[in-house]
Amino acid sequence: MLHYATRRLLGLTLVWAVALIVTFFAVRAVPGDPIMVMLSDHAGDAALEARLRADYGLDRPLPVQFLAYIGDVLNGTFGLSYRYVGSTVIDVIRDGMTITPLLALSALFIAVPLGLFFGVFAAVRAGSWADTGIILLLVTFISIPSFALAALLVWMLSLKLALLPVAGWGSPAQLVLPVTVLVVGPMAVIARLTRTYMLEVLDRDFVRTARAKGVRENRVIWRHALGNTMVPIVTSIGLIFGGLLSGAFVVETVFNIPGLGRIAIDSVLARDYPVTMSIVLLFTVFYSLINLCVDLIYAWLDPRIRFDEAAA
Amino acid sequence: MKLLDISGLSVSFNTLRGPVEVLQDVSFDVMPGEVVGVVGESGSGKSVTSLAIMGLLGHSGKITSGNIALSGTELTTLSEEELRALRGPEMAMIFQEPGTSLNPVQRVGDQIVEAMTEHAFCPPAEARRRAVELMDRVGIPAPDLRARDYPHQLSGGMKQRIMIAIALACRPKLLIADEPTTALDVTIQAQILNLILDLKDEFGMGVMLITHDMGVVAQIADRVVVMYGGQVVERSEGDALFTRSAHPYSRLLLRSIPSASQRQDDLPIIKGTMPAAGRFPDGCRFHERCPMAMAACALSVPPLNEAGPAHFARCFRTEAIDELEALA
C-alpha cells in the first residue's frame, strides 16, 4: 500500500512537470508583448522598456527564463504579475488559494452524503411515486446551469425574501448561496449514479443471503448493498471534483467572491498570463491529488483490488 | 409435531402483463430430523417454494392462498420484522451459488458473526469465538486465520462451507438447501452433502434439500417431493418413489440418471421443455410431454391421488404406469 502510494506520487510529479512546461511555454506563445501592454502611454521610452524587460527577466534566453521559472515555482513566488507591477504572483493569488478549495471541499462534503441518501432512498422505492418524483427533481438539478440557478436563488432568497446577502465574502451567511449552487449539480449526479448502482446491487445474491440470515433491512441496504456500490461512486466523485473546481469559476464570478476562479478570470481579461498559468498549475496539482486520494480509498473499500500485486 | 407444514400454497408474481401464478396448491411437510428432497427441473417452482417459506419473495411475489406453519407458527400472516426474527434462529437457507452469495467486501468471519449479533444470539465476543468454532466444524483448516479472509480468497467449496456456517450460526431447526452442490466440482459435492447430513444429526435439524439430481435424493432423502410446473406431481416416503414411481414425469426423470454399470448409446431424455409460468396448458401440466397422455389429460387437472401408503401422484393413469416402458 505504501509502496503503491509512493509509486503513484512519483507518477504525479511527472504530470506536474508536464504541466509546468506547458504553462511556461503557453505564456510565451500567446500573441502580444506584455511589456508593450505595460508601457501603454510610455511606449517609445526605450530606457523604461529595457528596465522592465530586465526586471521580468524577459531579456534573457528562453532556457534561462525556464530555469528561473522553475526556481520561482519552487520558492513559492510563481514569478511576477504583469498586471500588478512589483507584485509576485503569490501575492495576487494568496487569499484566493484558501477560498476556492474551501468552497469546493465544503460543497463536496455536502453533496456526497446528500447524493448517497437520495440515491439509496429512490432505489429502495424503485418504481414508486417517490422514486419518480426524486428522478424528475434530479434531472432538473443536473440540467439547470449553475449561473441560472445562482440568479434564481439570488432573486428569490436575497431580493424577494431578503434572507441572505446577494454577494460578497467573509461571513457565514455569504457562504450559503454559493455553496448551494455548487452542491446542487454534483449532488444530483451522485444521487442518480447511486440509484443506478444500488438497483443493480440489490438484486445480487449476497443481498439475499444477508436477508436470509435475518439482517435488519436498514443494515442490508446501507451496509451490504451500499458498501458494494462505493467503488464506482467514489470513482465518479473524483471526476465530479473537477466539475466543482470549474464550477467555482462561475460561482465566484456571480457572487463576487475573491477566489482563485475569479482571480483567474480577471487575470485572463487583463492578460496577466503568469497569474492565469499559476492558477492552472495549482488546479492541476489539486485535482491530481484528489484523484490520488480516490485511488487509495479503493483499496480500503474493496479488498479485491490488490495494489501490491499490480505493482509486482 | 411437524417442523414445517405447507398446505395449499399458491404464489403469484406481478409482471408487466399482470399476475402470473408460479406455485399452485403446493402441500408437503418436513418432520424434525428428516431430509425431504424436493426435485424438479429449473422453473418447476422449487426455489420459489423455499423463498416463500423464508419470506423472501420480494415486492413482486405474493402468497395468494395457503398456509406455511413452522413449528406450529403460521408464517403467512407474520409481519416483515417478525419473519426477520425467525430467519436465522428458526429457519436458515444456503444457496446454489457460493461464489456470489457472500458479500465480497466483508470478511467471512464477520459475515458469520453478523448472523448471530443481528439476533442478539450471543454477545459479540462470544459470537466471534463461535464463528471460528463453526468454521472449524464445517471443515475449514486454520479457521482463526481464514476468518480474516475475504470471499475472493477462498475456493468455491470453502465458500459453500462458510455459507453453511452462516446458516447454522443460530442453530436453526429447519435448513433449506437450494441446490447446494450444483456449482461445485463433483469431488466437493459429496463432501458438502455429507457435511450437511452430519450437521443435521448433530443439530437435530430438519432439512429441505432442493435439487434436480434424482441420484442425490435417492441416496439421502427420507421423503421425496417431485415438482413440475409449479405443482407437486408426486410425493412419497422412503424408496417408494424410486421403486414404484407412480407419475410418468418422475419415472422419466429417474430413467435420465446415467448409469455407470450399464452402457447406454444415448441418454434418455424427456421430449420438449417445461413451459414458462403462465403458459401452462389446461389440464395436466405435463400432458403435452407425456407419452401416456390421453384426451382426458388435457381437460382437467388430475388431483393428487393415493398411489400407495403415504404415496401420492397427480396422474389419471397411475394404474397403467407400467405401460410407460413400452411407450417411451
Side-chain angles (χ1 to χ4, degrees), chain A residues 143-225:
Chain A
S143 315
I144 191 167
S146 52
F147 63 86
L149 180 67
L152 186 75
L153 288 177
V154 167
W155 175 75
M156 244 170 52
L157 298 175
S158 304
L159 300 180
K160 288 288 163 193
L161 301 172
L163 291 174
L164 291 163
V166 174
W169 184 253
S171 72
Q174 284 167 322
L175 253 171
V176 177
L177 283 183
V179 170
T180 308
V181 171
L182 274 179
V183 159
V184 163
M187 184 272 283
V189 172
I190 293 168
R192 287 230 55 175
L193 285 172
T194 305
R195 180 182 175 278
T196 308
Y197 292 129
M198 278 295 283
L199 282 179
E200 193 190 309
V201 169
L202 281 171
D203 264 346
R204 302 257 289 273
D205 289 345
F206 64 82
V207 170
R208 188 185 53 188
T209 305
R211 289 192 177 122
K213 65 185 181 184
V215 174
R216 278 159 294 189
E217 189 62 15
N218 267 336
R219 193 174 158 85
V220 171
I221 288 163
W222 294 97
R223 167 81 211 238
H224 290 275

Side-chain angles (χ1 to χ4, degrees), chain A residues 124 204-217 219 223-225 227-228 300-306, chain B residues 51 54 56 59 84 87-88 91 93 95 97 100-106 111 114-115 118-119 150 152-153 163 166:
Chain A
V124 298
R204 302 257 289 273
D205 289 345
F206 64 82
V207 170
R208 188 185 53 188
T209 305
R211 289 192 177 122
K213 65 185 181 184
V215 174
R216 278 159 294 189
E217 189 62 15
R219 193 174 158 85
R223 167 81 211 238
H224 290 275
N228 277 278
W300 175 66
L301 287 175
D302 192 336
R304 285 167 297 186
I305 299 171
R306 295 246 149 262
Chain B
L51 292 176
M54 294 293 288
L56 293 174
H59 296 299
R84 180 192 78 77
R87 290 197 289 262
M91 53 185 174
M93 187 162 175
F95 299 94
E97 283 288 344
T100 54
S101 293
L102 290 166
N103 185 343
V105 303
Q106 197 181 19
Q111 300 192 43
E114 192 184 32
E118 281 291 284
H119 294 286
Y150 289 95
H152 74 272
Q153 292 167 284
M163 286 296 293
I166 290 173

